[in-house]
Amino acid sequence: MKGNYNIFYTPEKQYPGMPHGEMCGDFMPFYWQGTYYLFYLYKYCVYAVETTDFVSFGQPFLVLRNGSPDDQDWHIGTGSVFAHDGLFLFHYTGFCEGNQDADGKNEQVVMRATSRDLKHWEKDTDFYFRPDTRYYGNLHWRDPHVIWNEELGKFCMLITATQKEGACLRTGCTAVYVSADVRNWEHYKTLYAPRTFITHECHDCFRMGDKWYLTFSNYSRWWETRYRVADSFDGPWEVPEQDDMFDGREFYAAKSVTDGNKRYMVGWESIREDCRDSGRHLWGGNLLVHELVPRKDGRLGVRLPETIRQSFGKVLPIETVPMQGSFREDTEGITGDVPDGFGWAALGSLEETCLFRTTISWKEGTEAVGLMIHADAALEKWCQLRLEVRHGKILMDRYNRVDGDQSYQDERPVTFHENKAEITLVVSGNIMLVYVDDVALTSRCYEIGTGTVGIFAEYGSVRCTQTQLLEQETAEKPMGKN
């Protein structure tokens, strides 16, 4: 159950007590000529891995090595890659914690490297962008994200910054600088400053259809990636109605990438301390990719990338085994009636990595329906995807949240339509990724082995149709160019 090398990429197996530097995070995706180059932070340096489908990955390679404790890039932080005039440019953050409060020095500085082939990079020692204290504070100055802005006809660099004055831990803002040649940058404006968060990390900004979207992550409450919507780049930027996140509270530092047709959010799923369910969330984890789905009202949903879905082609057997309550099977599906409480039926055995999908519906007045995941017959151990239909939300629950373990549940608000939802569940190792229509919720369960997948209902009736349990066609591959 440790480590996920297929789909949920990580450069090495997870293990209890793994230190911060051994985890990977802050993926910086870049698409070029049919290949996604996923740059990421690892061991205080920048590495990259290639993929064409988010299913199989090449060997990771070193992109930028960190400097000495006296160098500005003693630790290297997040940035972005783009192409201009036959050259690839990587703007990144140079961290030197020893510089904080030192005269004439800065803890965080925007730096740059260049490449001709995306493999071999050279640091540009002439580029050194200090915090612009005319407009912003002197500490947070990182995560440069460069885009070509057709609306302005200029390159834009978004920077994680803070306002010079404001309430404690509420000065986070998005600074924008513009350039005509990507060499000389001038201040444009403070794009977004809601006086809500410590910082807005790992920005992205892009246009889909007739809307602009600004994405950022923050650690004020949880690990979380949020977004805002506007009709133009200059705003005003509005909070989407009902929900402004792409996944739950463990999906962080997501940036987008497009192949010119589809756009994906590429982030990481946080691990827990010592790989325990009761452990606190830590920085870094496994790659997690969602395909963006624009909604008619301008909000964004997500779905499983088609290439990942297509990798599951081996059909596994499904057999309805009622465990509690009244469940029956017919030629079109499975129906369960449990008017007096909880009931469930087992449907099949989960493999280490597999996909389960079904269309689930319920009668009006039903309290909750959903999936039992990694369950055993006695329900001594289990995970549960709950569609709390009367409360308009989905959540992931697990068996051992009693007495001394009262950690929170992972949940998302959902608008249910016509008492029906399409569910896709991907399990791989300790990761459980689920889509309910176009709403994602990813979680982990460390202290449990593989088990059964099933359906349940509470105080009502449930029906499942078009149900499939699938495994990938080939066994888990070792890391390497496949």
Side-chain angles (χ1 to χ4, degrees):
M1 297 293 288
K2 297 177 184 176
N4 302 279
Y5 294 97
N6 210 5
I7 303 174
F8 302 105
Y9 172 81
T10 183
E12 63 179 86
K13 289 182 178 292
Q14 298 170 28
Y15 54 87
M18 64 188 303
H20 166 89
E22 300 300 303
M23 293 177 279
C24 69
D26 292 14
F27 287 90
M28 298 157 271
F30 178 72
Y31 180 81
W32 187 255
Q33 297 181 346
T35 298
Y36 298 96
Y37 293 82
L38 307 182
F39 298 82
Y40 59 89
L41 305 183
Y42 180 56
K43 298 185 176 180
Y44 305 109
C45 303
V46 175
Y47 284 75
V49 67
E50 300 173 31
T51 182
T52 59
D53 54 12
F54 303 118
V55 175
S56 57
F57 302 87
Q59 288 284 3
F61 57 91
L62 178 65
V63 172
L64 291 177
R65 187 181 300 278
N66 64 325
S68 72
D70 296 325
D71 294 326
Q72 181 62 57
D73 57 357
W74 164 226
H75 294 148
I76 295 180
T78 310
S80 62
V81 176
F82 75 105
H84 175 65
D85 198 22
L87 193 66
F88 299 105
L89 298 103
F90 183 13
H91 292 84
Y92 63 95
T93 309
F95 280 93
C96 187
E97 291 81 353
N99 286 351
Q100 187 173 355
D101 299 325
D103 290 341
K105 295 183 179 181
N106 303 98
E107 180 185 276
Q108 301 171 24
V109 170
V110 174
M111 305 178 77
R112 183 166 68 187
T114 61
S115 173
R116 294 284 181 182
D117 61 3
L118 290 168
K119 295 288 186 69
H120 305 89
W121 292 83
E122 182 178 353
K123 295 179 181 180
D124 182 355
T125 56
D126 293 330
F127 189 90
Y128 199 80
F129 193 178
R130 297 178 183 272
D132 189 346
T133 54
R134 296 175 301 170
Y135 309 103
Y136 304 105
N138 195 34
L139 176 58
H140 296 284
W141 190 256
R142 61 180 181 275
D143 305 347
H145 186 80
V146 177
I147 62 170
W148 168 251
N149 189 326
E150 292 185 358
E151 193 171 284
L152 299 182
K154 295 181 179 180
F155 294 97
C156 289
M157 181 189 294
L158 282 68
I159 298 177
T160 292
T162 51
Q163 295 176 294
K164 298 185 74 170
E165 297 179 355
C168 179
L169 303 181
R170 288 179 176 267
T171 57
C173 65
T174 303
V176 177
Y177 288 74
V178 295
S179 174
D181 58 6
V182 302
R183 299 191 181 279
N184 301 292
W185 295 90
E186 60 182 17
H187 184 254
Y188 179 65
K189 67 182 300 183
T190 299
L191 191 67
Y192 188 58
R195 301 174 303 282
T196 305
F197 306 110
I198 300 172
T199 60
H200 307 164
E201 294 193 309
C202 303
H203 289 98
D204 197 351
C205 194
F206 53 87
R207 187 170 184 170
M208 291 183 70
D210 59 355
K211 297 290 185 180
W212 279 88
Y213 297 93
L214 172 67
T215 71
F216 59 92
S217 292
N218 70 84
Y219 48 85
S220 299
R221 301 178 181 89
W222 313 316
W223 296 114
E224 58 188 19
T225 301
R226 298 184 179 272
Y227 76 99
R228 300 293 183 258
V229 188
D231 292 326
S232 69
F233 177 76
D234 284 328
W237 294 94
E238 298 180 353
V239 180
E241 185 180 350
Q242 187 185 44
D243 189 15
D244 64 343
M245 294 168 63
F246 300 101
D247 201 320
R249 59 188 74 182
E250 302 172 17
F251 181 57
Y252 201 71
K255 287 172 168 281
S256 82
V257 65
T258 180
D259 60 1
N261 181 28
K262 297 180 178 181
R263 186 174 288 273
Y264 305 91
M265 290 301 294
V266 181
W268 47 265
E269 170 70 8
S270 174
I271 71 166
R272 288 182 182 266
E273 188 174 31
D274 293 329
C275 297
R276 292 181 294 107
D277 291 328
S278 59
R280 65 187 181 93
H281 289 292
L282 301 178
W283 182 96
N286 294 72
L287 174 71
L288 178 55
V289 182
H290 297 301
E291 181 185 337
L292 287 177
V293 179
R295 297 171 179 163
K296 292 181 180 179
D297 62 2
R299 293 183 298 149
L300 294 174
V302 295
R303 65 187 171 203
L304 185 69
E306 186 66 15
T307 51
I308 296 178
R309 188 193 66 79
Q310 291 178 350
S311 72
F312 292 90
K314 181 181 177 182
V315 178
L316 299 177
I318 290 179
E319 179 184 0
T320 305
V321 181
M323 306 300 289
Q324 290 177 290
S326 175
F327 285 81
R328 61 188 182 277
E329 185 175 358
D330 57 43
T331 56
E332 295 183 355
I334 306 152
T335 303
D337 295 305
V338 196
D340 60 344
F342 167 81
W344 76 291
L347 299 180
S349 297
L350 294 172
E351 299 295 333
E352 178 77 7
T353 300
C354 61
L355 181 149
F356 176 83
R357 61 186 178 191
T358 189
T359 299
I360 195 167
S361 58
W362 54 90
K363 288 185 178 180
E364 191 68 32
T366 298
E367 186 74 20
V369 298
L371 304 184
M372 302 301 297
I373 307 168
H374 298 316
D376 59 21
L379 289 191
E380 292 182 342
K381 290 187 177 182
W382 49 270
C383 297
Q384 189 182 65
L385 167 68
R386 297 178 57 84
L387 280 64
E388 298 203 339
V389 297
R390 295 181 63 180
H391 303 291
K393 66 180 180 180
I394 61 175
L395 62 87
M396 294 292 289
D397 203 356
R398 56 181 170 82
Y399 71 101
N400 56 351
R401 287 194 315 103
V402 294
D403 294 337
D405 184 3
Q406 297 291 344
S407 60
Y408 59 73
Q409 301 162 315
D410 294 302
E411 61 181 59
R412 300 284 310 282
V414 175
T415 300
F416 296 111
H417 301 283
E418 300 178 349
N419 289 355
K420 182 172 67 174
E422 293 185 8
I423 298 178
T424 299
L425 165 72
V426 178
V427 298
S428 184
N430 52 62
I431 293 178
M432 300 173 293
L433 161 63
V434 67
Y435 298 89
V436 177
D437 293 330
D438 64 355
V439 176
L441 180 58
T442 313
S443 188
R444 294 184 187 260
C445 193
Y446 289 101
E447 297 163 30
I448 187 172
T450 54
T452 296
V453 63
I455 59 170
F456 79 90
E458 289 184 7
Y459 300 102
S461 297
V462 63
R463 180 165 174 80
C464 290
T465 59
Q466 300 176 307
T467 303
Q468 286 185 304
L469 180 58
L470 304 166
E471 190 179 13
Q472 289 182 306
E473 293 278 11
T474 56
E476 188 176 50
K477 299 175 182 178
M479 286 189 297
K481 194 70 175 177
N482 339 110

